[in-house]
Amino acid sequence: MKWSETYIPTLREDPAEAEIVSHKLLVRAGYIRKLAAGVYNYLPLMQRVLTKISNIVREEMNAAGAQEILMPVLHPAELWQQSGRWQTIGKELMRTKDRHDRDLVLGGTHEEVVTNLIKGEVRSYRQLPLNLYQIQNKFRDEIRPRFGLMRGREFIMKDAYSFDRDEESFKISYQKMIDAYSKTFSRCGLETKIVESDTGAMGGKAAHEFMVIVDTEGGENIIFYCDKCDYAANMDKASSISETETEKEDAQKPLQKVATPGAKTVEEVTAFLNVSAKKLVKTLLYKADGEIVAAMIRGDRQINEIKLKNSLKCIDLEMADAPMVEKITKAAVGFAGPVGLKNVKIIADEEISQMKNFVTGANQDNYHFINVNVGRDVKIDSVSEIRNAQTGERCPRCKKGVLLTAKGIEVGNTFMLGTKYSESLGASFIDQNGKEKPFIMGSYGIGITRTAQAAVEKFHDERGIIWPASIAPLSVEILPLNVNDDKQREVAFQIYRKMKERDVEVLIDDRDERAGVKFNDADLVGLPLRINVGEKSLKEDKVEIVVRRTKEVISIKPEEALEKCVELLGSL
RNA sequence: CGGGGUGUAGCGCAGUCUGGUAGCGCACAUGGUUUGGGACCAUGGUGUCGGAGGUUCAAAUCCUCUCACCCCGACCA
């Protein structure tokens, strides 16, 4: 490939639109261009990267027994209404209408369509297990697209769907996908951590996410993992054993209302009363499917709305606004408390049940209660874990290790769907006993575009991208430093032709540019190997092979360059 | 959706407060000199100042509305 004939619009300056390093680099190095918020063009080099990743995904999926198909992007709304997700997914579902004013969906995932596809056709347990997948553009009407390809409204995803006769068989199918995923990412040069995750609108029983751990701003998910066992989970799922100090004072003290003028926040109240935030209980009011709910949580904890949502089993959950809070508590925001709250369901974090003589708002401006006790003063409707785990807490699995946190980019996910879709859409088969049963399903996604960006976020330096060899758009870039020098041109093109004959993917920067421009562009674009063909080294009948990652320079005879590159590529 | 911000040449930006000839750097074109880490000289082209309406003798600049994009938050792969 000749640079002069390829569309690689590199930029000298960082694009104004980009915030994180991988996004900046992909734009600067001429891989992507934005069309609209969260919608991108993939330029020639990017297309090659995406093809590389897709092919690795294909090979591993096929090896795991899955079959590639291609389903429509455009779906009739009826299917989504049947599964219930027309309602539960809400605004994130990209919807449109046709000329007859019929509702349509631009697919963001294909559980409905694939279930509909096999419904009625797969009738016997003898046809199972079955796994169908596709690689396709997906749509999500993201509330806030950002970080380039990381959170787009249109993106490329591989999605697979498994159908099994029973739980036992499903477990095998699921594990096959987990193994295939680990292999896939590792072949892409990315080590991943598998974490437990919430199932969200996808539904089902359990789910896992594949995370690339990074220490840059691009890592948008916080994950928790145990330092002793293999427990790992994302923020919405991570559980922990609280190190609540056992209350020494067993005796319940009398409930007392105290003035706390102007003290609304946890900081202000604890400072005013001179108590630890661990002795305070925050009461947060929510609207859950229209019903008012009060959530109690220790003062130093963060509430996790996903956990709260799951516990309440509601679809819509939003924090009550100030007027609503004032109406319910008859006090300004900041003084809400569970004591005396009427007609409100009270849900408490499990830590609350171990607390005694704590502080809460008094539902009266400028007053708090001290020495509040569950049972005596407050009637709690339900108790469950609704707080975020925190670094340093004990592991819920081995109960010995300590939870640590890391930042990750989610590149893949797997869902144990159970019979949610097969039941709602009426897809069943006849088992060996002649009985009709719904399929046990799983769904498995890999973000192709996201994986590409995750690789950049993980592998780059101050000069540009450093692609893992397996997903680099090409393997080698040859730089004739001065194309007006016949000798340099001749030597460079000689190596170029030989590489093409050997099927080494090679780019030659044949532009009439200064050496500095070419060096900078080469570093930006980030191919694993570079060959400098310049006056200095040619004097000694040598060219230089530069390893992008290590910056190692190998001086070598032109005719030996090809073999050396092949050898080096094998080890990258 | 709430809060904050930005729209001026292909890209990055100044000019807006205080209305009066639309600018700078890079890129681009032509010629010349240069050629191992983003060259230099000369010449040249480049704009519905996001859009609509208004105020004014006069609007990039003031007012109203609107659209797009970015950042923080809620949502989520």
Side-chain angles (χ1 to χ4, degrees), chain A residues 275-330:
Chain A
V275 295
S276 153
K278 293 179 181 179
K279 290 293 288 181
L280 189 122
V281 170
K282 293 189 275 197
T283 305
L284 305 165
L285 294 174
Y286 282 89
K287 223 160 80 182
D289 294 342
E291 189 193 353
I292 300 295
V293 174
M296 295 171 63
I297 185 160
R298 211 170 80 180
D300 60 328
R301 300 298 193 189
Q302 291 291 317
I303 195 155
N304 185 301
E305 295 188 3
I306 298 287
K307 290 180 180 176
L308 179 59
K309 204 169 162 177
N310 287 341
S311 164
L312 292 167
K313 294 185 173 54
C314 66
I315 291 169
D316 220 33
L317 181 74
E318 56 179 329
M319 233 171 163
D321 53 18
M324 179 74 77
V325 171
E326 283 160 23
K327 194 179 142 206
I328 309 273
T329 65
K330 303 192 171 54

Side-chain angles (χ1 to χ4, degrees), chain A residues 24-72:
Chain A
K24 284 178 183 169
L25 287 175
L26 285 172
V27 175
R28 269 194 69 199
Y31 284 81
I32 61 172
R33 283 296 183 269
K34 188 175 67 177
L35 177 64
V39 182
Y40 286 84
N41 291 293
Y42 308 124
L43 277 48
L45 293 181
M46 191 63 186
Q47 181 57 18
R48 295 182 76 100
V49 172
L50 297 177
T51 303
K52 294 265 169 98
I53 297 174
S54 300
N55 284 341
I56 292 174
V57 168
R58 274 199 185 93
E59 284 171 25
E60 293 303 330
M61 290 304 289
N62 293 345
Q67 304 166 55
E68 185 169 10
I69 60 170
L70 187 57
M71 291 181 269

Side-chain angles (χ1 to χ4, degrees), chain A residues 23 25 38 49-50 94 99 104 112 126 148-149 221 228 317 320 344 374 390 417 422 429 470 473 494 540 542 564:
Chain A
H23 185 193
L25 287 175
V49 172
L50 297 177
M94 193 74 88
R99 61 166 68 190
L104 295 166
E112 284 82 356
R126 292 173 203 269
L149 310 181
N221 300 291
K228 292 234 164 46
L317 181 74
V344 173
V374 173
Q390 283 180 7
L417 298 175
S422 48
F429 65 98
S470 59
Q494 177 84 11
E540 285 138 43
K542 293 276 177 68
K564 186 68 187 173

Side-chain angles (χ1 to χ4, degrees), chain A residues 390-442:
Chain A
Q390 283 180 7
T391 313
E393 290 186 299
R394 247 185 313 143
C395 171
R397 180 167 301 162
C398 68
K399 300 180 171 54
K400 290 192 185 97
V402 166
L403 290 184
L404 301 174
T405 54
K407 282 191 290 186
I409 298 171
E410 181 186 350
V411 288
N413 53 32
T414 57
F415 291 90
M416 299 183 182
L417 298 175
T419 57
K420 176 179 156 105
Y421 297 93
S422 48
E423 267 179 22
S424 59
L425 298 169
S428 56
F429 65 98
I430 306 296
D431 74 2
Q432 49 274 62
N433 302 316
K435 268 172 80 183
E436 185 159 334
K437 281 190 172 168
F439 297 100
I440 310 286
M441 292 175 58

